[in-house]
Amino acid sequence: MQEVKKPRKPLIYYYAIVLAVLLLFNFLLMPWAAERQVQEVGYDTFIEMTEKEEIGQVQINQEDNEVIFTNKDGDKIYKTGMVEDPGMTERLYASGAKFSGQIIEQMSPVLSFILSWILPIAIFIGIGQYMSRKLMNRASGGPDSMIFGMGKSNAKVYVKSSEGIRFSDVAGEDEAKENLSEIVDYLHNPAKYREIGASMPKGILLVGPPGTGKTMLAKAVAGESNVPFFSMSGSEFVEMFVGMGASKVRDLFRQAKEKAPCIVFIDEIDAIGQKRDGRVGGNDEREQTLNQLLTEMDGFESNNGVIILAATNRPESLDPALTRPGRFDRRVPVELPDLKGREEILKVHAKKVKLDESVDFNKIARMASGASGAELANIINEAALRAVRENRSFVTEADLEESIEVVIAGYQKKNAILTDKEKRVVAYHEIGHALVAAKQNNSAPVQKITIVPRTSGALGYTMQVEEGNHYLMSQEELENKIATLTGGRAAEELVFHSSSTGASNDIEQATKLARSMITRYGMSKDFDMVAMETVNNQYLGGDTSLSCSAETQAEIDRQVVELVKKQHEKAAEILADNREKLDQLADYLYDRETITGEEFMNILNAA
Ligand code: ADP
């Protein structure tokens, strides 16, 4: 989309004017004035200048007992006291000085006073007047209402343009698109809605994890409806001075009303829309900005054609006054894409790169489970970069697979040297995971196992691929997952009779899973369907806080340990039962460093 920004004189422009005036005053006017001033010198200087024939004009004031004289060029005026000096007149005459009958023109004291006092004061009063006029204007909400542009909204305005983002550029997210296409229809044909008395929602809140295409959707609404699009981030409203943010909100809405019908998009609205709490010394500036936003949203008619879209990934932190009907009265969830969505997003972005025709997008989408739209776009780009690095003119499936690994685990570490023993331990660890996963019916098949160290610190990993979408997970599946996670350590214990630090990440994940099963999914006998934990930050990492008594906490801890222990034992048992295969596979992996799921299954299923 074409971006048009209003030209704005930056603050530095005004400072530059003040500086220029001061410099002019100091470097030009003052020396000039100083030159016009009479310089007082000693009589010896006078004699010396006479001897050197440097005196131009001279005037002797008998009454004041002084001699005033100039240099040869006449641009400097000197004064000295009269001394008994009988030969002075002759010497002066001989040196070629002219005796002036007139008084040498001195700068009048009045002019000197004006230059050194009145002029600077006048300049500063002038600047002061200018600023106060701006302030008055601002108070009255006039068009010129910002001091030095500080309260200007600074919103980026995108105007209609043929190359704007369309709904077709946003892959997946069908529910969100359906919801928003109503807005597009309204902007095209408001009369249809007005006739029946229906009014459009004033504000629509797009909520979802980062990188799922919220900004894209907002731009697509503007692109589809061919109206101007104002875009601003919540944090841009927050200023150092109290009241500035509010002024920016006013300015934004004023501009929007002028351009209606149009779309105003506020990204990361939680920066200003956070719940106002009763804390003493809270953030005044933010609260004022929020209040102004609430007032502005109340202040315009719902049918005037200004639609406000806002995006956030922390909907729970928003002030209830903001989300009530009449303000942001519609909430559109923009979730992480499912398998089909991921495939479509990959295809949309793959159009931008040259691709080998045999690429199986479904497989790539399955490998990238849990990735957001932004991550998928990144995967495609990483793959293209890898193709360039390897001097190929198109991207292959292997590039895509490698770039998923880069996004998950970082780049391959070129110079990490493992000892032979370490490499063997890592090989057993990874095969441990894969074997436990494969032997449990419900675990996803293994795609790839590698023991090439990665920059993320992983010494090896087992990549599992989901067959399809998983919306629900049964207790058994979760337990199997924990068993798979403990499989690595179990293999080390079985073969080397010792533990290594390599399992720290597995331990963390297994604990988290076991904890959720007990505190949130109601999968323990003792607690039945009681929630012990609440999730605070659904879209950003999902931190939890406990809501139970200290005794219950202790009991939860005990049950978590019990659950993990049981699965650990199960994993150990599976590995012990398949000890021969374990050794065989670990040796194979040790030699090859990277093996595919297929090779793994072939060895496992071989007689
Ligand atoms: P958000 O605002 O939700 O954090 P953005 O809309 O800024 O995310 O998306 C970031 C980038 O991710 C986009 O520029 C686009 O390349 C890619 N992207 C995200 N979701 C999608 C999608 N559904 N279809 C196509 N591209 C997407």
Side-chain angles (χ1 to χ4, degrees):
M1 238 183 236
Q2 191 187 344
E3 185 183 326
V4 183
K5 246 191 178 178
K6 262 196 180 175
R8 189 171 75 98
K9 284 178 193 156
L11 205 54
I12 193 96
Y13 175 84
Y14 296 96
Y15 284 134
I17 292 182
V18 174
L19 199 68
V21 169
L22 285 177
L23 285 179
L24 189 79
F25 192 74
N26 271 305
F27 286 102
L28 296 173
L29 232 45
M30 286 311 275
W32 179 78
E35 258 175 27
R36 301 286 106 199
Q37 297 276 14
V38 178
Q39 202 179 331
E40 212 151 318
V41 292
Y43 198 75
D44 52 334
T45 314
F46 174 61
I47 295 176
E48 207 178 314
M49 284 176 76
T50 316
E51 279 169 2
K52 289 186 182 161
E53 301 185 354
E54 283 174 355
I55 292 186
Q57 287 187 323
V58 64
Q59 173 192 338
I60 298 161
N61 288 346
Q62 296 285 1
E63 313 88 76
D64 298 335
N65 239 0
E66 62 179 18
V67 181
I68 298 172
F69 58 100
T70 70
N71 60 355
K72 264 277 183 286
D73 298 336
D75 56 357
K76 284 205 178 106
I77 307 169
Y78 304 95
K79 181 166 90 174
T80 184
M82 201 108 94
V83 175
E84 259 313 299
D85 184 359
M88 176 185 79
T89 325
E90 285 80 35
R91 268 187 283 125
L92 273 173
Y93 184 68
S95 76
K98 296 220 164 43
F99 289 85
S100 177
Q102 305 155 347
I103 296 172
I104 292 170
E105 200 186 318
Q106 291 182 25
M107 187 170 67
S108 74
V110 178
L111 184 62
S112 156
F113 180 72
I114 288 176
L115 277 180
S116 52
W117 288 101
I118 307 288
L119 194 65
I121 292 174
I123 289 173
F124 284 107
I125 289 180
I127 291 173
Q129 285 277 327
Y130 175 73
M131 278 183 64
S132 66
R133 209 176 55 233
K134 290 259 169 195
L135 265 174
M136 296 278 281
N137 244 329
R138 180 172 160 244
S140 62
D144 205 12
S145 59
M146 320 301 155
I147 323 178
F148 298 161
M150 275 206 277
K152 274 224 170 85
S153 74
N154 243 352
K156 290 185 210 88
V157 187
Y158 297 87
V159 290
K160 39 196 163 180
S161 123
S162 53
E163 56 198 314
I165 295 176
R166 294 306 183 97
F167 277 147
S168 56
D169 296 315
V170 188
E173 308 297 350
D174 293 331
E175 304 78 18
K177 281 196 272 189
E178 193 182 307
N179 215 320
L180 293 171
S181 52
E182 196 183 26
I183 305 288
V184 175
D185 187 49
Y186 165 76
L187 287 169
H188 276 307
N189 196 356
K192 190 167 89 184
Y193 290 81
R194 234 175 272 144
E195 219 168 83
I196 216 165
S199 57
M200 259 298 116
K202 283 183 188 170
I204 294 171
L205 197 61
L206 301 166
V207 297
T212 44
K214 297 184 290 295
T215 314
M216 258 189 123
L217 276 167
K219 282 186 183 167
V221 173
E224 291 282 343
S225 38
N226 241 350
V227 295
F229 178 68
F230 292 82
S231 151
M232 208 164 162
S233 166
S235 60
E236 284 175 60
F237 288 106
V238 183
E239 281 276 355
M240 188 168 62
F241 304 112
V242 176
M244 277 300 155
S247 156
K248 282 187 167 185
V249 173
R250 267 199 302 274
D251 185 54
L252 177 65
F253 277 82
R254 187 182 51 74
Q255 285 189 45
K257 276 180 223 160
E258 276 168 18
K259 289 246 164 48
C262 68
I263 288 170
V264 174
F265 177 60
I266 306 176
D267 207 355
E268 314 292 354
I269 195 165
D270 44 283
I272 45 168
Q274 256 177 38
K275 277 191 194 106
R276 291 163 292 182
D277 41 22
R279 262 184 302 151
V280 186
N283 191 338
D284 261 358
E285 160 63 357
R286 219 196 54 221
E287 286 189 8
Q288 282 212 17
T289 311
L290 175 59
N291 282 336
Q292 187 63 41
L293 183 65
L294 297 178
T295 320
E296 290 287 346
M297 289 197 75
D298 271 342
F300 66 80
E301 304 286 313
S302 48
N303 273 342
N304 74 350
V306 181
I307 303 263
I308 306 198
L309 294 177
T312 178
N313 29 44
R314 293 166 58 197
E316 69 287 336
S317 73
L318 291 181
D319 197 285
L322 198 61
T323 47
R324 76 144 165 79
R327 288 185 184 131
F328 284 104
D329 34 17
R330 193 177 280 185
R331 180 187 281 224
V332 177
V334 187
E335 296 287 348
L336 284 175
D338 56 10
L339 179 60
K340 187 165 149 280
R342 287 199 299 275
E343 200 176 328
E344 283 173 20
I345 294 173
L346 283 170
K347 281 183 184 158
V348 164
H349 286 278
K351 278 187 203 143
K352 297 176 200 152
V353 298
K354 276 196 194 145
L355 210 65
D356 186 9
E357 284 185 0
S358 64
V359 171
D360 179 359
F361 284 108
N362 184 274
K363 184 175 158 202
I364 305 294
R366 274 192 286 128
M367 284 171 77
S369 88
S372 68
E375 276 164 339
L376 292 168
N378 191 16
I379 284 171
I380 297 270
N381 192 45
E382 279 287 342
L385 290 176
R386 184 169 183 262
V388 175
R389 232 177 284 141
E390 301 195 345
N391 282 329
R392 262 181 286 108
S393 55
F394 54 89
V395 176
T396 62
E397 195 169 296
D399 289 332
L400 286 165
E401 281 177 24
E402 171 64 23
S403 73
I404 290 179
E405 286 174 47
V406 167
V407 173
I408 296 173
Y411 288 94
Q412 291 190 356
K413 242 187 193 168
K414 296 286 181 211
N415 53 0
I417 300 163
L418 297 186
T419 62
D420 194 56
K421 170 85 189 292
E422 279 171 337
K423 204 171 144 191
R424 209 164 273 285
V425 171
V426 178
Y428 270 100
H429 184 104
E430 296 308 327
I431 293 293
H433 284 308
L435 200 57
V436 174
K439 285 285 167 189
Q440 297 175 117
N441 293 336
N442 296 325
S443 285
V446 172
Q447 168 77 17
K448 183 176 173 177
I449 309 166
T450 165
I451 52 169
V452 178
R454 293 274 164 172
T455 45
S456 65
L459 296 177
Y461 65 89
T462 305
M463 184 190 266
Q464 299 195 1
V465 176
E466 307 279 341
E467 275 297 279
N469 273 325
H470 262 296
Y471 297 107
L472 283 179
M473 281 191 93
S474 67
Q475 181 168 358
E476 197 193 349
E477 281 170 320
L478 288 170
E479 284 173 355
N480 285 348
K481 215 168 166 175
I482 296 176
T484 304
L485 285 166
T486 58
R489 165 64 65 84
E492 288 179 43
E493 286 166 344
L494 181 69
V495 180
F496 302 101
H497 306 289
S498 71
S499 316
S500 75
T501 52
S504 62
N505 186 262
D506 303 334
I507 291 171
E508 208 176 302
Q509 284 192 44
T511 312
K512 216 167 157 184
L513 212 57
R515 215 181 167 77
S516 312
M517 283 173 71
I518 289 160
T519 58
R520 284 169 39 219
Y521 305 145
M523 290 180 182
S524 77
K525 279 177 232 89
D526 302 342
F527 299 133
D528 204 52
M529 284 183 60
V530 177
M532 303 293 171
E533 246 178 23
T534 43
V535 178
N536 302 332
N537 237 337
Q538 188 189 351
Y539 295 121
L540 300 171
D543 319 337
T544 49
S545 50
L546 275 171
S547 50
C548 56
S549 69
E551 294 89 68
T552 318
Q553 276 183 35
E555 179 59 19
I556 290 171
D557 290 339
R558 200 190 56 72
Q559 292 204 12
V560 169
V561 175
E562 191 183 311
L563 179 59
V564 175
K565 213 170 177 175
K566 195 169 151 213
Q567 297 311 314
H568 188 170
E569 279 159 15
K570 182 169 108 188
E573 210 178 296
I574 292 175
L575 293 174
D577 290 348
N578 296 279
R579 177 64 202 259
E580 207 176 309
K581 290 281 175 203
L582 177 66
D583 290 337
Q584 207 181 341
L585 283 161
D587 280 345
Y588 190 76
L589 178 63
Y590 175 85
D591 289 338
R592 308 280 164 109
E593 296 201 343
T594 299
I595 63 172
T596 63
E598 224 168 295
E599 288 172 287
F600 174 85
M601 288 318 269
N602 285 343
I603 296 177
L604 187 63
N605 294 332

